[in-house]
Amino acid sequence: MEPAEAEFLAEQELVTIVPSFSMDRVHLIGGDLGPFNPGLPVEVPVWLAINLKQRQKCRLVPPEWMDVEKLEEMRDQERKEDTFTPMPSPYYMELTKLLLNYASDNIPKADEIRTLVKDTWDTRMAKLRLSADSFVRQQEAHAKLDNLTLMEINTIGTFLTQALDHMYKLRTNLQPAHSSQSQDF
Amino acid sequence: MSEAYFPVGPGLGPEENFLSLDDILMSQEKLPGRAESSLPRLAFALGQGAAGGSGDSIPEGSKLEIPMWLAKGLHDSKRRIISVELPKIYKEAWRTVFSADANVVDLHKMGPYYYSFGSQLLNFDNPENPEIAQTILQTFISRFRRIMDSSQNAYNEDTSMLVARLDELERALFRAGQKGLNDFQCWEKGQASQITVSSLVQNYGKRKFTDMDG
């Protein structure tokens, strides 16, 4: 899976906007989009929020986790723990990129937020690599990692599965050779 | 799923993958061996041309360098035709080097197909086979960390220094890691939504309209 596909899946997440137009309830196949009244906050999927913002028809309200103190706390906790801490959203990386690219004027301290999220990402990737290395070194049969997000899995996925494939094949070499299948008539 | 071409990887077990280019190139690597019985009229094929005074038969017991595909074909358990020896990097001395620290070895120089060739060697009955298999596995495991770190952290740099000491299997892994990294960085910069020319079509070159008529 590519990062663009993960971003597509992330766009389904809900975010709050304050529209500047009015419209009745819209019925779409995926669900309803509630009535829009100017000045009243309403929850919509990110894809619609970005679209409306680009047409200058709304103002985005940053999600409550996208706040400098909360992100600092999250980053420090991530650095302290050896395992992965739960992330405020399973798509935190994609949402950060989308919201900060298209709506940075609605989000206070956008640059600091970007840096904090990047720091957390780097810490998590380092932990992931450490875990992959110990997995390979001890030749475990399976591992369980909680609280990983799709983007992180994608970035390391191809490499890790190929390496584990090779390791598996080399490991079956250790078994005593199968009896040769010759046919003697 | 955006790839247009999925190459067949090397079969790392006792059998090669017929369609794998890596395996085909690997089986051309040479093994030292000896002729167990006299081989008439094969002197020219096995490179003994000028030496044999009696013309073109290979005397019994003479040393040969045979490619792996030929060695596998001529080898049988009664060992009438040829016998093979292990190349030196799979022998005891080098095995201790690998177990001491596998990261310092230049696997590209030692035969760019260390892992596949080693797996094929296990086909020949040899009392040292379990140790060889174990050494190959342990070498892979110890070098894994370095490949992972270097491939996931080298963005937009010249990577020739990093891959110089890797064998072909490790280079393929390195490229996979680089691709993961590049895809992520490219997405983060926003280039993922730009339409680019497909790699398959890029080399076609532009043909002038008049060429198509002629």
Side-chain angles (χ1 to χ4, degrees):
Chain A
M1 183 179 278
E2 297 185 355
E5 292 171 18
E7 182 186 60
F8 180 72
L9 292 174
E11 285 174 344
Q12 189 72 347
E13 296 287 297
L14 294 175
V15 76
T16 313
I17 61 164
V18 177
S20 59
F21 62 100
S22 71
M23 199 161 76
D24 285 333
R25 179 164 256 152
V26 178
H27 303 285
L28 300 176
I29 296 178
D32 288 350
L33 295 176
F36 296 95
N37 295 308
L40 291 183
V42 60
E43 283 215 332
V44 295
V46 169
W47 56 268
L48 183 61
I50 300 287
N51 188 289
L52 290 176
K53 176 75 188 169
Q54 281 177 321
R55 293 192 284 166
Q56 294 168 334
K57 289 194 167 176
C58 75
R59 174 175 73 81
L60 263 158
V61 173
E64 53 169 33
W65 54 267
M66 203 174 269
D67 160 70
V68 174
E69 277 127 30
K70 294 219 179 82
L71 287 176
E72 272 180 359
E73 222 182 274
M74 195 172 77
R75 177 197 61 179
D76 294 332
Q77 198 185 16
E78 191 73 50
R79 284 180 178 167
K80 260 187 347 203
E81 300 278 330
D82 278 340
T83 54
F84 295 93
T85 57
M87 282 284 117
S89 156
Y91 295 107
Y92 72 98
M93 204 59 197
E94 296 90 316
L95 288 179
T96 312
K97 179 207 168 206
L98 283 170
L99 295 179
L100 290 178
N101 275 355
Y102 292 107
S104 53
D105 49 341
N106 291 149
I107 301 179
K109 300 200 196 159
D111 286 334
E112 276 186 45
I113 291 183
R114 209 187 285 261
T115 320
L116 286 169
V117 170
K118 183 101 183 48
D119 283 345
T120 314
W121 166 269
D122 287 336
T123 314
R124 287 170 72 92
M125 287 305 285
K127 276 193 211 171
L128 184 55
R129 272 183 232 131
L130 192 61
S131 159
D133 181 50
S134 71
F135 181 39
V136 164
R137 215 167 267 281
Q138 293 163 21
Q139 298 179 48
E140 302 277 349
H142 88 288
K144 180 171 143 126
L145 293 174
D146 292 328
N147 301 324
L148 267 188
T149 63
L150 182 59
M151 189 56 92
E152 288 150 2
I153 298 174
N154 270 349
T155 309
I156 203 172
T158 322
F159 175 82
L160 188 61
T161 45
Q162 275 191 20
L164 290 174
D165 263 348
H166 292 322
M167 203 177 87
Y168 172 71
K169 289 187 203 153
L170 290 177
R171 207 153 73 169
T172 41
N173 281 343
L174 287 177
Q175 315 299 334
H178 58 272
S179 53
S180 54
Q181 293 148 5
S182 59
Q183 287 182 324
D184 294 323
F185 290 102
Chain B
M1 290 302 117
S2 63
E3 296 300 317
Y5 165 64
F6 294 99
V8 176
L12 285 173
E15 284 307 316
E16 311 169 350
N17 268 344
F18 186 73
L19 294 174
S20 156
L21 291 177
D22 280 329
D23 273 345
I24 295 173
L25 291 174
M26 175 273 293
S27 65
Q28 181 59 13
E29 299 284 327
K30 303 252 196 314
L31 279 186
R34 287 172 56 240
E36 288 293 332
S37 62
S38 147
L39 304 167
R41 294 195 302 272
L42 284 179
F44 71 96
L46 295 171
Q48 309 276 320
S54 59
D56 43 20
S57 140
I58 299 184
E60 189 170 328
S62 58
K63 287 197 180 298
L64 304 166
E65 291 260 316
I66 338 172
M68 167 65 82
W69 54 269
L70 193 55
K72 267 174 77 172
L74 292 179
H75 175 82
D76 79 23
S77 51
K78 303 182 202 69
R79 290 193 207 109
R80 286 176 298 118
I81 313 178
I82 55 166
S83 69
V84 294
E85 295 164 4
L86 295 176
K88 60 180 179 13
I89 44 165
Y90 298 95
K91 283 207 172 122
E92 188 67 44
W94 273 97
R95 291 211 295 268
T96 34
V97 174
F98 282 121
S99 56
D101 182 1
N103 271 315
V104 302
V105 184
D106 185 349
L107 272 191
H108 188 71
K109 206 171 59 155
M110 293 290 126
Y113 293 99
Y114 176 72
Y115 299 103
S116 326
F117 197 72
S119 308
Q120 294 305 310
L121 275 184
L122 302 174
N123 274 323
F124 304 115
D125 302 322
N126 191 308
E128 296 179 45
N129 274 351
E131 282 93 33
I132 300 178
Q134 186 68 279
T135 308
I136 297 179
L137 180 63
Q138 290 303 325
T139 310
F140 183 77
I141 290 178
S142 352
R143 288 167 73 98
F144 170 77
R145 179 79 206 251
R146 185 172 282 199
I147 306 172
M148 175 164 68
D149 286 343
S150 59
S151 72
Q152 296 259 303
N153 283 322
Y155 180 58
N156 250 354
E157 290 167 15
D158 177 18
T159 55
S160 51
M161 276 314 296
L162 298 166
V163 291
R165 302 164 81 85
L166 302 180
D167 100 332
E168 289 301 317
L169 186 78
E170 295 168 339
R171 281 185 185 182
L173 273 184
F174 184 88
R175 282 192 290 269
Q178 277 283 3
K179 181 167 189 314
L181 177 69
N182 284 342
D183 281 350
F184 175 73
Q185 291 295 350
C186 161
W187 168 77
E188 186 148 35
K189 285 194 290 200
Q191 276 174 359
S193 48
Q194 285 177 348
I195 302 180
T196 52
V197 185
S198 157
S199 55
L200 291 182
V201 184
Q202 211 163 24
N203 295 331
Y204 281 4
K206 297 190 175 72
R207 292 162 65 192
K208 295 206 176 64
F209 193 53
T210 49
D211 285 353
M212 297 211 287
D213 293 335

